[in-house]
């Protein structure tokens, strides 16, 4: 290693940081406590208390509803982590598994991920979803264990996997009649409207036990930011003025989205900006710049975008570039496919066939990332039109390009 490179690395690594624990501001972080979700945690404890009072007597299914950034995932994870610890003190083995339905889009993948997280010793291939599920139930019986499974972004699974797959999961014990019911579920969704494609009786069944998380107010967000900042930064590197500015910007009562994830991301970016400038404190100016840097709309769909496959992202990038270049609200799928081929060539990727491209476009539509509609009357020939109703597109283009390059670098498909 050259002396100049060594010096650059050494100076950067040994430079004092205002961050004590940057991971405390990441979406993956599971906090020790959840300010302003005590009521919802209490409801979950009430729904699942049978696991320590009369375990196996029935299988509980709860629907957890809330918009982006209302703490659905964090609430489920914190509950799962701490309930399993509590159950152990009472002599019961209860496990928790959190399955993301963006990355597990089929019934087979959902059941496989459930089994993996519960450490069920199943062969890696050769079993159907039904056989795997049956083997999982046998494993839980043999080891005398119970489980709470959270299916995150459940509406996405419902739209892609279809009614039969949803019925299989939701009404599992109608299919597998066993005296001891060891599996319990939390279905996490953005809103009930996204479940409307289900069979009415199935939707009604899910709505019986529903917990709804409301968007956060500015006062609630201030409490959340205070907690996260105390974990993430050294004392004296920030103050309440900055945290209140971010909370007021995002608070639902002040016209914001009430999105804690977005508020925390703004704080993270403000901290990184301050550190890159060599500042010892995060200022209001850093917070203002951080808010300008990210788009609330892009953050709202960022989870769906992050879990999209590489070629779905390449198609999305092609659509964004066409929409920017033409200035039109919609572009034809054929034009997007041509642009996609150019994008693939530039980034050294092999473009997929037309039928696969159409399937990717439909996946993006179902995830709420794009609009896709038939051209209808007034246009020669029938085609699919693609549009994006959020932005700004220049920020989205850069966001996608960075994400695509990271996926290519780690060999993601």
């Amino acid at each position: 290693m050259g002396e100049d490179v060594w010096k650059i690395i050494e100076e950067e690594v040994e430079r004092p940081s205002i961050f004590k624990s940057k991971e405390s501001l990441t979406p993956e972080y599971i906090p020790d406590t959840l300010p302003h979700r005590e009521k919802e945690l209490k409801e979950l404890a009430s729904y699942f208390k049978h696991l320590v009072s009369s375990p196996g007597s029935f299988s509980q299914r709860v629907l957890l509803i809330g918009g982006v950034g209302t703490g659905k995932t964090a609430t489920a994870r914190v509950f799962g982590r701490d309930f399993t610890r509590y159950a152990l003190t009472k002599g019961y083995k209860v496990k928790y598994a959190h399955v993301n339905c963006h990355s597990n889009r089929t019934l087979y993948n959902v059941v496989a991920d459930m089994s993996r997280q519960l450490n069920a010793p199943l062969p890696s291939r050769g079993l159907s979803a039904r056989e795997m599920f049956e083997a999982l139930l046998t494993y839980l019986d043999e080891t005398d264990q119970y489980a709470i499974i959270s299916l995150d972004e459940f509406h996405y699974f419902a739209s892609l996997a279809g009614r039969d797959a949803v019925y299989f999961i939701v009404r599992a014990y109608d299919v597998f009649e066993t005296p001891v019911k060891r599996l319990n579920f939390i279905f996490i969704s953005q809103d009930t409207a996204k479940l409307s494609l289900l069979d009415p009786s199935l939707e009604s069944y899910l709505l019986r036990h529903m917990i709804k998380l409301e968007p956060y107010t500015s006062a609630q967000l201030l409490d959340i930011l205070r907690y996260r900042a105390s974990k993430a930064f050294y004392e004296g590197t920030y103050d309440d003025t900055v945290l209140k500015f971010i909370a007021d910007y995002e608070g639902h009562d002040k016209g914001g989205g009430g999105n804690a994830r977005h508020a925390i991301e703004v704080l993270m970016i403000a901290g990184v900006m301050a550190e890159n400038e060599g500042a010892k404190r995060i200022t209001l100016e850093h917070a203002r710049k951080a808010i300008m840097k990210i788009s609330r709309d892009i953050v709202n769909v960022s989870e769906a975008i992050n879990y999209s496959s590489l070629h779905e992202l390449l198609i999305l990038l092609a659509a964004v570039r066409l929409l920017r270049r033409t200035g039109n609200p919609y572009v034809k799928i054929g034009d997007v496919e041509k642009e996609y081929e150019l994008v693939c060539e530039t980034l050294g990727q092999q473009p997929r066939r037309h039928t696969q491209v159409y399937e990717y476009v439909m996946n993006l539509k179902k995830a709420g990332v794009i609009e896709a509609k038939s051209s209808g009357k007034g246009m020669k020939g029938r085609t699919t039109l693609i549009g994006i109703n959020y932005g700004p597109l220049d920020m989205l283009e850069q966001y996608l390009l960075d994400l695509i390059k990271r996926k290519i670098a780690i060999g993601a498909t």
Side-chain angles (χ1 to χ4, degrees):
M1 189 186 297
E3 285 187 20
D4 289 346
V5 176
W6 180 281
K7 190 175 180 182
I8 290 168
I9 293 173
E10 183 180 47
E11 285 178 355
E12 182 58 32
V13 171
E14 295 185 5
R15 181 161 61 96
S17 175
I18 64 172
F19 284 101
K20 181 169 54 177
S21 168
K22 194 179 283 188
E23 68 167 10
S24 304
L25 299 176
T26 61
E28 299 79 25
Y29 178 72
I30 305 174
D32 295 328
T33 185
L34 274 180
H36 303 291
R37 287 297 176 242
E38 296 85 358
K39 172 178 165 288
E40 291 79 8
L41 288 167
K42 186 177 180 180
E43 288 182 75
L44 284 170
S46 176
Y47 280 130
F48 290 101
K49 66 182 179 182
H50 72 283
L51 286 171
V52 291
S53 60
S54 55
S57 56
F58 67 96
S59 171
Q60 183 62 277
R61 275 135 302 182
V62 175
L63 189 59
L64 195 59
I65 294 287
V68 175
T70 53
K72 302 183 299 297
T73 298
T75 299
R77 284 188 182 277
V78 167
F79 172 75
R81 178 194 65 196
D82 291 353
F83 186 89
T84 54
R85 291 173 182 172
Y86 174 78
L88 198 58
T89 68
K90 299 296 181 182
Y92 298 105
K93 291 185 283 185
V94 180
K95 286 190 170 182
Y96 177 77
H98 197 98
V99 178
N100 187 289
C101 293
H102 266 300
S103 47
N104 295 284
R105 305 177 177 190
T106 64
L107 177 62
Y108 181 90
N109 287 346
V110 164
V111 176
D113 199 34
M114 283 166 47
S115 303
R116 179 187 61 79
Q117 292 190 47
L118 297 176
N119 298 317
L122 303 179
S124 58
R125 58 186 65 187
L127 296 183
S128 66
R130 184 190 176 97
E131 289 168 334
M132 210 167 4
F133 197 91
E134 197 165 12
L136 173 59
L137 293 179
T138 301
Y139 165 73
L140 293 174
D141 277 334
E142 291 173 348
T143 55
D144 192 24
Q145 294 186 90
Y146 301 87
I148 300 171
I149 313 289
S150 283
L151 295 186
D152 210 342
E153 303 291 342
F154 181 66
H155 55 277
Y156 189 65
F157 172 75
S159 67
L160 280 180
R163 294 183 182 183
D164 290 346
V166 173
Y167 187 92
F168 182 93
I169 292 288
V170 176
R171 305 300 295 265
Y173 284 107
D174 291 357
V175 180
F176 301 93
E177 295 183 14
T178 60
V180 181
K181 312 294 190 290
R182 296 186 179 274
L183 283 177
N184 303 266
F185 292 92
I186 299 172
F187 302 106
I188 304 174
S189 179
Q190 287 183 19
D191 56 58
T192 54
K194 291 185 183 294
L195 299 174
S196 60
L197 56 91
L198 299 178
D199 181 88
S201 62
L202 200 57
E203 185 183 2
S204 172
Y205 182 83
L206 281 174
L207 294 176
R208 286 178 202 167
H209 303 111
M210 183 176 76
I211 299 172
K212 185 173 183 181
L213 281 68
E214 299 295 340
Y216 290 105
T217 65
S218 53
Q220 291 173 334
L221 285 174
L222 181 57
D223 289 338
I224 292 167
L225 290 173
R226 281 171 176 160
Y227 173 70
R228 290 296 186 99
S230 71
K231 295 285 184 182
F233 300 107
Y234 287 107
E235 196 173 339
T237 60
Y238 65 94
D239 59 44
D240 238 30
T241 308
V242 170
L243 303 185
K244 191 172 187 309
F245 180 81
I246 298 170
D248 285 348
Y249 164 76
E250 187 58 39
H252 185 64
D253 55 321
K254 300 287 179 73
N259 183 333
R261 188 187 306 166
H262 188 248
I264 292 166
E265 186 173 4
V266 169
L267 181 59
M268 161 80 98
I269 292 171
V272 170
M273 285 178 169
E275 184 154 281
N276 288 344
E277 290 176 10
K280 294 180 180 178
R281 293 176 65 84
I282 303 170
T283 65
L284 276 178
E285 192 56 30
H286 292 129
R288 287 192 186 95
K289 286 179 181 176
I291 288 169
M292 291 291 289
K293 187 176 176 66
I294 58 175
S295 159
R296 183 186 285 135
D297 289 334
I298 291 173
V299 170
N300 285 346
V301 295
S302 63
E303 188 163 336
I305 291 173
N306 284 330
Y307 283 106
S308 295
S309 69
L310 175 60
H311 281 267
E312 284 170 350
L313 293 175
L314 292 168
I315 288 165
L316 181 56
L317 177 61
V320 168
R321 286 182 171 175
L322 264 184
L323 287 164
R324 283 193 69 193
R325 199 157 64 233
T326 62
N328 296 328
Y330 293 94
V331 287
K332 296 178 184 177
I333 190 172
D335 294 336
V336 171
E337 189 168 0
K338 290 174 187 173
E339 184 73 19
Y340 157 71
E341 290 169 359
L342 290 173
V343 168
C344 285
E345 186 179 345
T346 304
L347 294 170
Q349 300 300 305
Q350 183 66 36
R352 300 295 164 88
R353 294 176 181 271
H354 173 76
T355 51
Q356 190 73 64
V357 168
Y358 184 79
E359 184 181 327
Y360 289 147
V361 167
M362 291 301 105
N363 286 347
L364 290 168
K365 178 187 177 182
K366 287 172 183 173
V369 176
I370 64 168
E371 285 186 86
K373 63 178 186 177
S374 176
S375 57
K377 294 179 180 179
M379 185 174 285
K380 189 177 180 181
R382 295 296 291 272
T383 185
T384 300
L385 298 176
I386 296 171
I388 294 173
N389 60 5
Y390 54 91
L393 292 180
D394 57 342
M395 286 186 176
L396 180 57
E397 182 176 349
Q398 190 56 52
Y399 183 91
L400 286 170
L401 204 49
D402 292 344
L403 181 58
I404 287 167
K405 286 177 179 177
R406 287 202 301 275
K407 281 186 178 276
I408 292 173
I410 62 171
T413 56

